[in-house]
Amino acid sequence: MKGGATMKSDNQDFSFSAALGRSLSSWPLKSVTGKGFQSFLQPENGPRVDFRAPSGEPALTPAEGVSWRIFASPISLFIGGVAAVIMEFGDERIAYGVWDHTDFKRDPLARMQRTGLAAMVTVYAAKSVAEKVIGHVVEMHDQVRGETPSGTSYFANDDALLTWVQLTASYGFVTAYDRFVEPLDEEAQSDAYAEAEVSARLYGVSQPPRTQAEARALIDAKLPELAPNPVLDDFLGVIRSPRAVPAAIRPIQGSLVRAAISIVPEQVQARLELRGEGRLSGSEHKLIRFLARSSAHIEVEAHPMVQARYRLRG
C-alpha cells in the first residue's frame, strides 16, 4: 500500500477525475468515445459479439471485481496492451509466431481490433459466449507452428508460451490502470490476476499466476530467455505509425507508446535494450493520466461493460 499522504492526494485526484468524467459525459466527447468503441471493437466486416445476451448470464469475471474497473478505460487498455506485446515479443518464439502467422505487419489496426475484442470478451461477455470465442482462438492457435530464424521451434498452444502471453496481458492491463487511472494496492492487483484464471485455463494455461507476487516471480524467471530481436523492432515501428491506431488518438500516439514502454519492468527494458525509450515528460504524464482517468468514467452504450450490465439486469 502506498504511503498515506500520497494515497490522499491520489484519491483526491481520482475523485476529481471521476466528477470530470461525469460532466464530460454531456459533451460531444461522449459521442466520440462511443463511436470509437463501436468502430474499434466491432468494425464493419469484423467479428461480432453481443455483450447483452443471453439475458441474465454472468461473465467469466465477477461484475463487482477489479477487472471490470480495469477494462473500463480505453486509454489505459491501449497502454497496457502495447506493454504486453513488447514483453511477449521479447521471446522470439512468440514474436515470430505472431509475425509469420497473422496480418499484424500488413494491417495492425485490424489485428489490434480483434485482440481488443477478445480481451473484452474474457471480462464482460456472457460465460457461454466467452467459452465459444476462446475455443475458436484455441483451435486457430493449434495451427500455428514454425521455426524461428535461429532454428528454435514454436507452437502457439505450448503451455510455457501461453503462460507468458497470459501473464504479460494481465501485467500490462493491471499496471497501466494502477499507473494512469487509479492506484491499486497489492491485494487489488492480486485479485485481478486471480479473476483472469478462469479464462487463462480455457486458453490452455495450466498454472496461471494468481497473485502479484507470483507474477513478479514468473517475470524474474523469464528474464534469461528475453532478448531484442528484429520482430520487436518491427513491432515498435508499426505501433508508432499512423496506420496502427484510430485517427482520434494519433495526436497522442507517441506519448501512449512511451507510456507503454515506461510500465514494462525495468529489468525487462534492460534485457530488450529499451531503457530511455519510455521517458515521459511531466506534461505528457499529466495528460495521459487525465485522459485515462476521464475515459474510465465516461459511460457510453457501445462499451461492453455497459452492455454487460444490461444483460445482468435480465
Side-chain angles (χ1 to χ4, degrees), residues 108 235-245 250 253 257:
F235 167 74
L236 289 171
V238 168
I239 204 64
R240 289 166 172 148
S241 70
R243 63 194 180 96
V245 298
R250 286 173 190 165
Q253 183 178 2
V257 173

Side-chain angles (χ1 to χ4, degrees), residues 16 22 32 38 55 57-58 63 74 80 84 86 114-115 117 139 147 178 181 184 193 239 249 257 279 286 293 306:
F16 169 76
R22 287 191 292 272
V32 172
Q38 190 67 41
S55 178
E57 185 175 327
I86 290 171
R114 292 194 298 272
T115 301
L117 179 60
E139 289 179 0
E147 189 174 278
D178 172 68
V181 181
L184 298 172
Y193 284 105
I239 204 64
I249 68 170
V257 173
R279 189 174 294 115
K286 289 179 181 178
R293 290 180 172 197
V306 174

Side-chain angles (χ1 to χ4, degrees), residues 2 41 49 78 112 116 202 205 209 233 274 284 293 312:
K2 297 176 175 62
L41 291 177
V49 174
F78 179 86
M112 291 178 67
L202 288 173
V205 180
D233 291 340
L274 293 175
E284 280 182 304
R293 290 180 172 197
L312 292 178

Side-chain angles (χ1 to χ4, degrees), residues 238-306:
V238 168
I239 204 64
R240 289 166 172 148
S241 70
R243 63 194 180 96
V245 298
I249 68 170
R250 286 173 190 165
I252 59 169
Q253 183 178 2
S255 297
L256 294 176
V257 173
R258 284 189 289 277
I261 297 173
S262 77
I263 68 170
V264 172
E266 288 188 8
Q267 63 271 41
V268 176
Q269 290 186 43
R271 292 288 302 178
L272 302 182
E273 300 177 0
L274 293 175
R275 277 185 171 167
E277 294 194 33
R279 189 174 294 115
L280 291 169
S281 69
S283 58
E284 280 182 304
H285 193 272
K286 289 179 181 178
L287 175 62
I288 292 173
R289 289 188 75 185
F290 168 76
L291 293 173
R293 290 180 172 197
S294 298
S295 68
H297 295 282
I298 300 176
E299 294 196 359
V300 294
E301 190 172 350
H303 196 300
M305 179 178 67
V306 174

Side-chain angles (χ1 to χ4, degrees), residues 39-292:
S39 63
F40 184 77
L41 291 177
Q42 308 218 45
E44 292 183 13
N45 303 319
R48 297 280 168 176
V49 174
D50 185 357
F51 290 89
R52 296 172 179 259
S55 178
E57 185 175 327
L60 294 176
T61 58
E64 69 280 4
V66 67
S67 297
W68 280 48
R69 288 158 49 200
I70 288 174
F71 277 70
S73 171
I75 297 296
S76 69
L77 284 183
F78 179 86
I79 294 170
V82 172
V85 175
I86 290 171
M87 294 173 69
E88 289 169 18
F89 280 13
D91 186 319
E92 69 165 1
R93 295 169 296 176
I94 297 173
Y96 282 99
V98 172
W99 224 238
D100 292 343
H101 295 270
T102 73
D103 60 353
F104 201 117
K105 52 189 171 184
R106 181 182 61 81
D107 193 351
L109 181 55
R111 172 66 181 181
M112 291 178 67
Q113 287 170 327
R114 292 194 298 272
T115 301
L117 179 60
M120 289 290 186
V121 164
T122 64
V123 175
Y124 298 123
K127 181 175 180 289
S128 61
V129 174
E131 289 173 340
K132 183 177 179 180
V133 171
I134 292 172
H136 178 62
V137 173
V138 172
E139 289 179 0
M140 291 193 298
H141 284 174
D142 209 44
Q143 308 304 313
V144 178
R145 302 168 185 265
E147 189 174 278
T148 69
S150 66
T152 304
S153 61
Y154 60 78
F155 171 43
N157 278 337
D158 175 82
D159 185 39
L161 299 187
L162 289 172
T163 300
W164 183 238
V165 169
Q166 192 275 331
L167 165 63
T168 57
S170 290
Y171 172 88
F173 296 139
V174 169
T175 307
Y177 186 89
D178 172 68
R179 194 76 56 87
F180 296 106
V181 181
E182 175 188 15
L184 298 172
D185 60 26
E186 184 158 349
E187 180 180 1
Q189 292 191 38
S190 292
D191 286 345
Y193 284 105
E195 289 168 11
E197 180 183 11
V198 175
S199 60
R201 291 190 181 278
L202 288 173
Y203 274 112
V205 180
S206 63
Q207 292 185 303
R210 289 181 47 84
T211 66
Q212 186 193 54
E214 290 180 4
R216 286 196 297 259
L218 284 172
I219 291 172
D220 289 342
K222 185 73 173 179
L223 285 175
E225 300 179 34
L226 303 179
N229 59 70
V231 171
L232 178 58
D233 291 340
D234 287 346
F235 167 74
L236 289 171
V238 168
I239 204 64
R240 289 166 172 148
S241 70
R243 63 194 180 96
V245 298
I249 68 170
R250 286 173 190 165
I252 59 169
Q253 183 178 2
S255 297
L256 294 176
V257 173
R258 284 189 289 277
I261 297 173
S262 77
I263 68 170
V264 172
E266 288 188 8
Q267 63 271 41
V268 176
Q269 290 186 43
R271 292 288 302 178
L272 302 182
E273 300 177 0
L274 293 175
R275 277 185 171 167
E277 294 194 33
R279 189 174 294 115
L280 291 169
S281 69
S283 58
E284 280 182 304
H285 193 272
K286 289 179 181 178
L287 175 62
I288 292 173
R289 289 188 75 185
F290 168 76
L291 293 173

